[in-house]
Amino acid sequence: MEIIVRRETKEDYRRVEEITREAFGYTERIERGGIGCPYEHWMVNELRKRDGVLELSLVAVVDNEIVGHVICSKAKVKKDDNELPVLNLGPISVLPKYQKMGIGKALIKELISNAKKLGFGAFLFFGRPEYYPQFGFVEAETFGVSDSEGYNYPSFMGMELIPGYLDCVKGGRFIESDIYNDDLNRDAVLMFDKSFSEEKYMRRCYELAIGAGKKGYDTFGAILVYDGKILEEAENTADYKKRIFGHAEFNLVHKCANKYSDEILENAVLYTSCAPCERCLGAIASLGVHNVVCGVSYKEFCKLLPFDYQAVDREGLLKQLGIQMTLKESVLEDEGMHVFEWWGGEYHPLEEMIAEMDEVKRNQK
């Protein structure tokens, strides 16, 4: 198996975050975090904005697929008024199915090599003491450095890249970025993870929509998600010549009817590639689903129709009927608009489709 390690690019960002979330999604980490998801995918995202060393953000590639990632951040050792910059290592992530296959080793070896070339003086970080010594890391106590509270233990490790680099801060304490502080970042991580999950599920809707389009149907897809799991999926199967309705949301409701409890449906989220029509909205309401997340909004979708957008307070109308429902629109909307390029099974560039409808609307005036 050939492992290629290279620098991360912007095009890799979302996939790297997905890999990181999956790698740290094990039970012990979830329980320790106390919020139902890991923190590390948020850390990677945040480190790109501040405190991260992007020259040392590396990905491991196998068969043209990213399977692992590592990043370093800026840290320091402080002794009295003296502060010495050092590198903090991590998070490092490897897809579970590729773990124990040398991916992590390849990443760390390349990381050390690159850090030396860039002139960094030392690493200090927290990690597994049974794993990292094979690369030359030793307990930080060896260098006379303690953690921010003044303690030493086997999982606090380091390595000098320049011999004697840490001599001037013996007796000093290691200070890392507050990005690594779980207690401080709970709310930010929860908000990020919610958005992160929404995008993941919406992309699945878009896959279903394109699948429907390639079969000759209109490009719409929908899924029902509960407790982080996709319960049901549906594509559009409408055949207007045969007067078969078959909208994706309607098909999804049909699949779910009499199958799930009211409690599950009330707490589930229905994701749909495009804002649902009124008929589908009524079907969703009758199913008892309270939360709907849409990719393409009503307003944007009207660019592909021969009439102008008319604002309608759909949530308000439902409320008048005593129906509780929250509609969220415009999740990955630009991406979702391009899904319609496969409308009816034949590819048409989005710009041409919009221009054609604009011409129809002008001729109607």
Side-chain angles (χ1 to χ4, degrees):
M1 179 179 71
E2 183 183 11
I3 304 169
I4 298 172
V5 177
R6 60 169 174 80
R7 185 172 168 181
E8 181 191 45
T9 66
K10 289 184 178 180
E11 289 72 26
D12 302 327
Y13 283 2
R14 177 52 55 152
R15 183 56 187 148
V16 164
E17 290 160 11
E18 291 171 350
I19 289 169
T20 305
R21 192 186 194 286
E22 187 172 347
F24 283 92
Y26 53 90
T27 302
E28 190 274 332
R29 176 55 175 133
I30 300 298
E31 290 179 349
R32 176 160 48 88
I35 59 172
C37 69
Y39 289 62
E40 281 72 14
H41 59 317
W42 172 84
M43 291 179 187
V44 169
N45 181 276
E46 192 70 11
L47 283 169
R48 298 193 192 107
K49 303 171 188 174
R50 60 183 179 98
D51 296 339
V53 182
L54 301 189
E55 299 90 339
L56 295 176
S57 183
L58 308 176
V59 295
V61 180
V62 174
D63 295 332
N64 296 316
E65 177 189 1
I66 298 175
V67 299
H69 171 258
V70 68
I71 189 170
C72 284
S73 63
K74 301 169 187 174
K76 60 187 177 184
V77 179
K78 185 172 183 178
K79 181 186 179 185
D80 301 325
D81 295 330
N82 188 18
E83 293 185 355
L84 186 70
V86 295
L87 287 173
N88 189 3
L89 191 162
I92 179 170
S93 309
V94 177
L95 276 174
K97 68 178 181 179
Y98 282 95
Q99 291 175 4
K100 299 183 179 180
M101 298 175 66
I103 307 294
K105 289 182 181 179
L107 283 167
I108 294 170
K109 287 180 179 179
E110 187 70 13
L111 184 74
I112 294 171
S113 174
N114 289 358
K116 286 180 179 179
K117 292 176 184 177
L118 290 169
F120 288 98
F123 283 103
L124 286 169
F125 69 105
F126 304 98
R128 288 162 35 211
E130 70 276 12
Y131 178 73
Y132 286 98
Q134 65 182 302
F135 305 104
F137 294 104
V138 297
E139 291 187 34
E141 189 175 20
T142 305
F143 306 109
V145 176
S146 62
D147 71 7
S148 61
E149 301 296 324
Y151 297 106
N152 284 98
Y153 31 84
S155 60
F156 179 37
M157 291 174 283
M159 172 192 289
E160 286 187 325
L161 301 174
I162 299 174
Y165 181 79
L166 295 170
D167 287 351
C168 63
V169 287
K170 282 187 177 180
R173 298 188 178 188
F174 173 63
I175 309 296
E176 64 179 351
S177 168
D178 62 12
I179 289 173
Y180 298 95
N181 186 325
D182 284 4
D183 293 334
L184 186 65
N185 297 307
R186 280 192 170 88
D187 291 343
V189 176
L190 275 172
M191 187 177 298
F192 176 78
D193 191 68
K194 182 180 179 181
S195 171
F196 188 87
S197 298
E198 284 180 347
E199 292 184 6
K200 178 180 73 172
Y201 295 132
M202 192 55 64
R203 285 198 169 96
R204 179 55 187 156
C205 290
Y206 292 159
E207 289 172 358
L208 292 166
I210 292 172
K214 290 182 176 179
K215 294 171 187 172
Y217 298 110
D218 295 343
T219 47
F220 299 95
I223 63 175
L224 187 73
V225 176
Y226 174 74
D227 195 25
K229 298 180 179 63
I230 298 176
L231 299 182
E232 301 289 348
E233 301 181 335
E235 298 177 358
N236 186 294
T237 58
D239 189 330
Y240 301 109
K241 292 181 180 179
K242 296 180 181 179
R243 296 180 63 82
I244 295 174
F245 185 61
H247 285 194
E249 302 93 337
F250 196 83
N251 291 341
L252 185 67
V253 169
H254 182 71
K255 279 186 171 184
C256 297
N258 298 316
K259 188 172 182 179
Y260 300 103
S261 69
D262 287 346
E263 181 182 359
I264 287 177
L265 294 170
E266 289 170 3
N267 291 285
V269 180
L270 191 150
Y271 291 86
T272 176
S273 59
C274 184
C277 70
E278 281 71 15
R279 188 171 172 181
C280 285
L281 203 58
I284 294 167
S286 70
L287 185 64
V289 172
H290 292 175
N291 300 289
V292 178
V293 178
C294 315
V296 176
S297 64
Y298 290 99
K299 185 175 182 179
E300 284 299 298
F301 180 59
C302 278
K303 292 179 179 179
L304 299 171
L305 299 177
F307 50 81
D308 292 324
Y309 168 72
Q310 297 293 325
V312 177
D313 182 8
R314 291 169 174 83
E315 286 187 44
L317 290 173
L318 290 168
K319 190 175 182 180
Q320 289 180 30
L321 296 171
I323 297 170
Q324 178 186 344
M325 185 184 294
T326 300
L327 287 168
K328 178 178 180 179
E329 295 183 329
S330 306
V331 175
L332 296 176
E333 188 165 49
D334 289 343
E335 190 173 323
M337 284 294 285
H338 284 279
V339 167
F340 293 115
E341 293 177 329
W342 291 99
W343 192 299
E346 187 175 345
Y347 178 83
H348 298 282
L350 179 65
E351 294 76 12
E352 292 181 11
M353 297 171 70
I354 293 175
E356 183 180 341
M357 286 299 102
D358 286 343
E359 181 66 23
V360 170
K361 291 170 187 174
R362 281 194 295 269
N363 291 336
Q364 289 175 347
K365 295 178 179 179

